[in-house]
Amino acid sequence: MREPRSLFNPAPADEPFLSSADAKALITKVLSYATADEVRVLVNSGWAGNTRFARGEITTSGGITDTTVTVIATVGKRRASTTTNILENDALKRSVELAERLAKLSPENPELMPELGPQKYIPVEGFVQRTADLSPEPRAAAVKKVFDSINEQGRSLGELNVAGFLSVNAGAFAVGNNKGLFAYHRSTAVDLGTTARTPDATGSGWAESGSRDWANIDPAALGRRAAQKAISSHAPTAIEPGLYSVVLEPAAVGQLVPALIGSMDARSADEGRSPFSKKGGGTKLGEKIVDERVTMYSDPADPDLLSQPFDGEGLPAGRKVWIENGVLKTLNYSRFWAQKQGMQAVGGGGFGGGLKMNGGTKSTADLIAGCERGLLVTHFFYVNFLDPRTVMMTGLTRDGLWLIEKGKVTRPVRNFRWMESPLFMLNKIEEMGKPEHVGVGLVLPALRVKDFNMASLSDAI
């Protein structure tokens, strides 16, 4: 086995993380030091780079290569863990010994589940070499394309202020234990976002895209989109707060809908603490909870998602249909709660297998054309929960908000603070757009929704 890499032993550009064979050899070595009843070892190995830009220039460019090892030791019903990125033999041995000492000092956990034995996993290839090759030079070239396209669009108002961030990572995650389990997955991800603002600071535009494959991101197109939004949102006027029909671009939908899936915890529902609990006991499984046009699922093998096919326990992650034709089909069960309730646990938790929502065939422009009076929303900012029992949330509109009248975008308006629940929102759908990539492992449509609560005016731009 080659010597594992750490922060202090950076990998060459063509080998940024451990192979499956090297990860397995490292886990085997760590397990050889263990004496606890059960031991699980997690290995995170990879490279990450970033380029930050503002005011027409790159301000920082950084990168890191690191391998970390987490040791989880179990003694009876007691469990504890340690993490290190110092990979010399003595350091690994000390990490194991410390985890075992801490486990013996920890309180007993009556819900502790035993480690899993060997599992079978669906093959998922989420690694793209051209993304892993995104070194500082091609990142700088991409940023230049953003600048050039924004400057070209912004001539009518003078030079636009531009800022943004490009991040990329390539890595592998492995898990193994002393019961014979071993799982390994490698992946890449890249995200580019930019904001453009008018010189008088009254107009702001934003655009962002994320993918496992760098070829799917068009820096020039993102720059043009951000600039066009900044220019067209220049000098907004105020309108009254209230309930509005809204056209939510896919990015805005992506800031609300995942919170609904994150609320689908089976234990909370069974114990009456969830929006999916029924009065008097039981859950809403099998009942219609949203518009019948809504179907949402997670699936690590879906070509649009390509997510990790197992979780940190090594539990396989498979296809999970959360909502089908408006009906609640499944909840998220931990291993303990699944055993207690006689259900099957699926790895990943929440939407660990990514999240995809069906939609229609219409563009965002088509959704606007069908709106008599409403608002076009770019995305949201500072989103927070208000009430977990209803998934009620609040936040601000940001970087472009426009009034729609008789199917046309007529003028920019000042931003709002809103209060809305994605559960309520998905019951008020007027029209669904075509699903689009919102980010890595997230595919959602634009939506036109009625009676969205724009609660008060905001000075944000």
Side-chain angles (χ1 to χ4, degrees):
M1 184 188 82
R2 294 183 295 273
E3 185 65 22
R5 292 161 290 278
S6 73
L7 176 62
F8 310 106
N9 182 22
D14 61 347
E15 195 178 18
F17 54 85
L18 295 181
S19 67
S20 177
D22 283 354
K24 189 170 186 177
L26 176 57
I27 289 172
T28 300
K29 178 191 290 187
V30 174
L31 290 174
S32 72
Y33 301 136
T35 61
D37 298 337
E38 295 181 337
V39 180
R40 185 181 351 138
V41 181
L42 313 179
V43 174
N44 275 290
S45 177
W47 167 83
N50 64 80
T51 300
R52 188 185 301 274
F53 52 97
R55 294 188 177 275
E57 63 182 10
I58 291 174
T59 56
T60 61
S61 182
I64 185 171
T65 301
D66 199 8
T67 295
T68 62
V69 175
T70 297
V71 181
I72 302 171
T74 303
V75 179
K77 284 288 187 178
R78 306 172 191 271
R79 180 172 287 170
S81 66
T82 59
T83 299
T84 183
N85 68 346
I86 303 175
L87 304 183
E88 286 76 12
N89 292 345
D90 288 346
L92 293 173
K93 188 174 182 180
R94 287 195 301 271
S95 189
V96 172
E97 291 171 347
L98 178 58
E100 293 181 340
R101 289 201 306 272
L102 291 173
K104 293 173 183 177
L105 295 171
S106 299
E108 288 193 351
N109 180 358
E111 299 182 2
L112 198 66
M113 296 297 292
E115 293 292 339
L116 295 165
Q119 305 287 310
K120 292 184 178 180
Y121 304 105
I122 55 176
V124 174
E125 184 54 83
F127 177 86
V128 180
Q129 188 62 52
R130 61 176 150 254
T131 306
D133 291 338
L134 203 56
S135 62
E137 291 79 7
R139 297 203 305 267
V143 171
K144 184 178 185 302
K145 291 179 181 178
V146 173
F147 286 145
D148 289 346
S149 62
I150 288 179
N151 289 336
E152 181 181 350
Q153 293 289 320
R155 289 172 183 164
S156 61
L157 289 178
E159 185 176 357
L160 300 178
N161 294 318
V162 183
F165 193 69
L166 195 168
S167 63
V168 58
N169 65 75
F173 175 72
V175 55
N177 64 27
N178 61 349
K179 288 193 172 182
L181 179 143
F182 176 75
Y184 175 91
H185 177 72
R186 64 176 191 163
S187 64
T188 54
V190 59
D191 185 273
L192 174 59
T194 185
T195 300
R197 291 194 171 178
T198 57
D200 63 358
T202 68
S204 181
W206 170 91
E208 186 171 0
S209 183
S211 179
R212 302 204 180 278
D213 188 349
W214 174 237
N216 293 332
I217 295 180
D218 186 339
L222 291 175
R224 284 193 296 273
R225 183 172 176 82
Q228 289 164 0
K229 283 181 171 289
I231 294 166
S232 63
S233 65
H234 169 68
T237 56
I239 60 175
E240 288 296 317
L243 300 178
Y244 285 89
S245 289
V246 294
V247 175
L248 303 176
E249 294 189 357
V253 177
Q255 290 169 302
L256 293 183
V257 167
L260 179 64
I261 306 302
S263 299
M264 290 184 176
D265 177 66
R267 184 169 189 170
S268 295
D270 286 329
E271 293 179 345
R273 300 180 285 110
S274 163
F276 310 107
S277 303
K278 292 175 67 172
K279 290 183 179 180
T283 71
K284 295 181 181 179
L285 279 170
E287 296 185 7
K288 182 176 178 294
I289 60 169
V290 294
D291 189 288
E292 60 272 7
R293 289 170 288 182
V294 175
T295 294
M296 288 190 283
Y297 65 88
S298 301
D299 185 353
D302 188 293
D304 288 329
L305 303 177
L306 297 177
S307 302
Q308 185 172 292
F310 55 89
D311 64 13
E313 293 185 270
L315 185 67
R319 181 180 174 89
K320 289 179 285 191
V321 179
W322 303 103
I323 298 171
E324 185 175 37
N325 300 325
V327 175
L328 179 63
K329 300 297 288 187
T330 191
L331 294 168
N332 183 49
Y333 289 84
S334 67
R335 288 179 60 209
F336 169 78
W337 200 249
Q339 177 178 275
K340 184 177 178 65
Q341 299 298 99
M343 303 293 287
Q344 181 178 358
V346 179
F351 52 97
L355 181 63
K356 193 172 184 179
M357 177 177 168
N358 69 338
T361 59
K362 294 184 177 181
S363 66
T364 302
D366 294 331
L367 269 58
I368 294 169
C371 183
E372 180 65 20
R373 188 174 190 275
L375 296 168
L376 172 62
V377 179
T378 299
H379 76 139
F380 298 123
F381 174 73
Y382 201 55
V383 178
N384 289 287
F385 273 99
L386 290 176
D387 180 11
R389 288 293 303 269
T390 59
V391 206
M392 183 62 69
M393 305 168 75
T394 186
L396 306 173
T397 61
R398 193 70 180 267
D399 299 311
L401 181 69
W402 296 268
L403 183 65
I404 302 169
E405 296 175 295
K406 300 186 184 302
K408 302 287 186 182
V409 174
T410 55
R411 58 189 170 99
V413 294
R414 280 179 54 189
N415 284 298
F416 288 104
R417 170 168 290 282
W418 52 269
M419 290 189 293
E420 189 60 80
S421 164
L423 183 60
F424 300 164
M425 179 185 80
L426 294 178
N427 274 290
K428 300 184 290 186
I429 294 175
E430 293 182 327
E431 190 63 77
M432 303 173 70
K434 181 171 60 177
E436 300 179 20
H437 279 90
V438 174
V440 178
L442 193 59
V443 179
L444 300 167
L447 296 176
R448 190 173 74 239
V449 179
K450 64 182 179 182
D451 295 337
F452 194 96
N453 184 13
M454 296 297 183
S456 62
L457 285 169
S458 167
D459 290 329
I461 64 167

